[in-house]
Amino acid sequence: MKILVIGAGDLGTEAGLRFIAAGHRVTAWRRRPELLPASFGTRRVDLGDAGTELPTIDADTDIVVFTPAAPERSEDAYRRTYLSAARRVFDALARDGVDPQRFLLVSSTAVYGDAAGGWVDEDTPASPRTATARILAQTEALVRERASATIVLRLAGIYGPGRNHLITQVRNGAARAPGKTVWTNRIHRDDAASAIVHLCSAVPAPDPLYLGVDLEPVDLAEVQRFIAALLDVSAPGPGDAPVNRGGDRRLSNARLLATGFRFAFPTYREGYASVLSGEGARHP
């Protein structure tokens, strides 16, 4: 198949490499295409610049994977990078007469509100609490309206090679264990990329919405203790700790598992052990 990856940063690049390994052809759009692998067809595109025309989309494009990443966590940046960019992409598809077999949007579980520690799945209504989460929800709605065959993949907190914020906090003693249970949900970068490829190419009739999250929601303090043990440093002491941006909840991946998807890193244990052993690399 011919795959167009739009917004090919770390995650999009990893997904593209996996598409190519499976025998597909990949064209990728990003601001700095010189950073992309030589095996990709590339185009220089700034999704946030509404004043530039998007490149011609190849007529034989089968799959579009839209994996934008806002340069900052602000309402304006999210609006330009997600909602406005998605509108421009669909205008370009219409301009070039391209109707892909599948259009996959990488979104975020931030569109859910607080669940007081309860379980959340694809049937739980979205209730975004922040301006950026509301823009994500609006982008999802736009994609459903304009794509013939939509897959929205809502990812939880992505971690993996080069994504060392929590590890650094634990290592340098800045981490603090919250005084109450703070549920966290995550997915390793490689599993997120594999899920994109799986849903686009290995599922005959995918559902329109999936949660991309590993097998085990877990208390933040437990993750901190695990990382501290691997680093052979003291576990974080109690203190003020940031709570989840999106709210207190546990996310279910049952629908993704039902497609036959299997995780390389089923929980944070396998994932952080891999990261700390130096496996993998973050794509520039």
Side-chain angles (χ1 to χ4, degrees), residues 14-109:
E14 183 64 28
L17 289 170
R18 290 166 185 261
F19 276 119
I20 288 174
H24 305 297
R25 295 171 294 148
V26 170
T27 296
W29 292 0
R30 65 176 291 175
R31 285 187 293 271
R32 298 184 63 192
E34 67 274 10
L35 299 177
L36 291 167
S39 55
F40 288 18
T42 64
R43 301 289 187 276
R44 186 178 302 276
V45 179
D46 184 350
L47 291 173
D49 183 0
T52 61
E53 184 175 4
L54 294 182
T56 299
I57 298 172
D58 295 339
D60 59 347
T61 298
D62 298 294
I63 306 291
V64 175
V65 177
F66 187 41
T67 60
E72 61 185 37
R73 193 174 296 278
S74 71
E75 184 175 357
D76 178 65
Y78 267 62
R79 188 174 303 280
R80 287 186 286 107
T81 307
Y82 286 89
L83 187 57
S84 297
R87 188 174 291 114
R88 294 174 66 211
V89 167
F90 282 108
D91 289 345
L93 287 167
R95 176 199 66 197
D96 299 330
V98 179
D99 186 15
Q101 297 173 18
R102 295 179 187 180
F103 188 108
L104 185 143
L105 167 68
V106 172
S107 185
S108 168
T109 56

Side-chain angles (χ1 to χ4, degrees), residues 150-220:
T150 303
I151 304 170
V152 174
L153 178 60
R154 291 175 178 164
L155 296 178
I158 304 174
Y159 72 106
R163 298 172 182 258
N164 297 325
H165 178 67
L166 182 57
I167 293 171
T168 300
Q169 283 191 320
V170 173
R171 178 183 279 121
N172 65 21
R176 291 293 177 266
K180 62 176 182 177
T181 298
V182 175
W183 289 106
T184 61
N185 304 267
R186 54 183 49 78
I187 187 169
H188 191 284
R189 189 272 318 267
D190 290 0
D191 282 327
S194 291
I196 290 170
V197 176
H198 176 77
L199 293 173
C200 286
S201 61
V203 182
D207 285 303
L209 175 62
Y210 292 91
L211 298 189
V213 57
D214 70 18
L215 297 175
E216 188 174 334
V218 60
D219 181 18
L220 174 60

